[in-house]
Amino acid sequence: MPTVFDSNRAVLSRIGQELGVSDWLTIEQSRVDRFADATNDHQWIHIDPKRAATGPFGATIAHGYLTLSLISWFMPQIVDLSAMKMGVNYGCDKVRFPAPVKVGSRVRGRALLVSAEPTKDGGVQAVIRVSVEIENGDKPGCVADTIARYYF
């Protein structure tokens, strides 16, 4: 069940709390290939399963930025913003890729509201740390402190 943010007060009341966890998503080679085409990043560790099998990770891996972009898929499962009039992605404070995400693995997002503060124009700015967990992995594939502005 997603955490409901229906007002600035609702956001501000959850500072320091975990917001929830998304469903699992399987990383398929076809998704990695489409991302390679979209970004023109065709490095063999992403798109050549035969060569990657003998490489440092033993398989093809998702691009780090592909893993980061999945946060957009995870967040609506974690936070219900249906009462929001408008939201703006403001950026990221910190992004890191602690572990490779191998093709065929499953990932999910886990979110923590790090901080939030009212904005001068009546909204609220939230810093949400999203960890992209790899099923049965010791480290996440991505950890990002995302910044969003919500207007209710």
Side-chain angles (χ1 to χ4, degrees), residues 95-117:
V95 177
R96 23 193 216 291
F97 305 106
V101 176
K102 293 181 182 182
V103 168
S105 63
R106 294 192 330 153
V107 295
R108 67 179 178 186
R110 180 180 301 274
L112 168 77
L113 181 60
V114 174
S115 65
E117 59 187 29

Side-chain angles (χ1 to χ4, degrees):
M1 192 71 151
T3 297
V4 176
F5 284 163
D6 57 7
S7 66
N8 288 3
R9 185 180 332 164
V11 176
L12 295 168
S13 73
R14 298 297 302 263
I15 295 171
Q17 295 180 25
E18 184 172 292
L19 302 176
V21 180
S22 74
D23 294 335
W24 290 104
L25 174 68
T26 301
I27 301 300
E28 298 172 343
Q29 187 64 52
S30 60
R31 180 185 299 269
V32 174
D33 292 343
R34 289 191 311 272
F35 190 85
D37 289 341
T39 61
N40 203 29
D41 181 352
H42 295 95
Q43 189 175 171
W44 62 269
I45 62 172
H46 304 303
I47 64 162
D48 187 341
K50 187 174 180 179
R51 184 173 177 193
T54 63
F57 308 112
T60 50
I61 61 170
H63 302 72
Y65 288 125
L66 168 57
T67 306
L68 173 66
S69 74
L70 293 173
I71 291 173
S72 296
W73 188 79
F74 298 137
M75 284 305 293
Q77 298 174 50
I78 298 170
V79 178
D80 178 349
L81 292 164
S82 58
M84 181 178 65
K85 292 180 185 174
M86 180 181 74
V88 178
N89 289 324
Y90 196 73
C92 294
D93 272 342
K94 187 174 181 181
V95 177
R96 23 193 216 291
F97 305 106
V101 176
K102 293 181 182 182
V103 168
S105 63
R106 294 192 330 153
V107 295
R108 67 179 178 186
R110 180 180 301 274
L112 168 77
L113 181 60
V114 174
S115 65
E117 59 187 29
T119 61
K120 292 179 182 179
D121 57 0
V124 62
Q125 181 168 297
V127 176
I128 299 175
R129 180 169 297 141
V130 181
S131 296
V132 180
E133 300 176 339
I134 304 167
E135 189 174 39
N136 301 317
D138 296 334
K139 296 179 183 178
C142 177
V143 180
D145 288 354
T146 65
I147 307 167
R149 289 192 174 179
Y150 304 132
Y151 298 88
F152 296 94

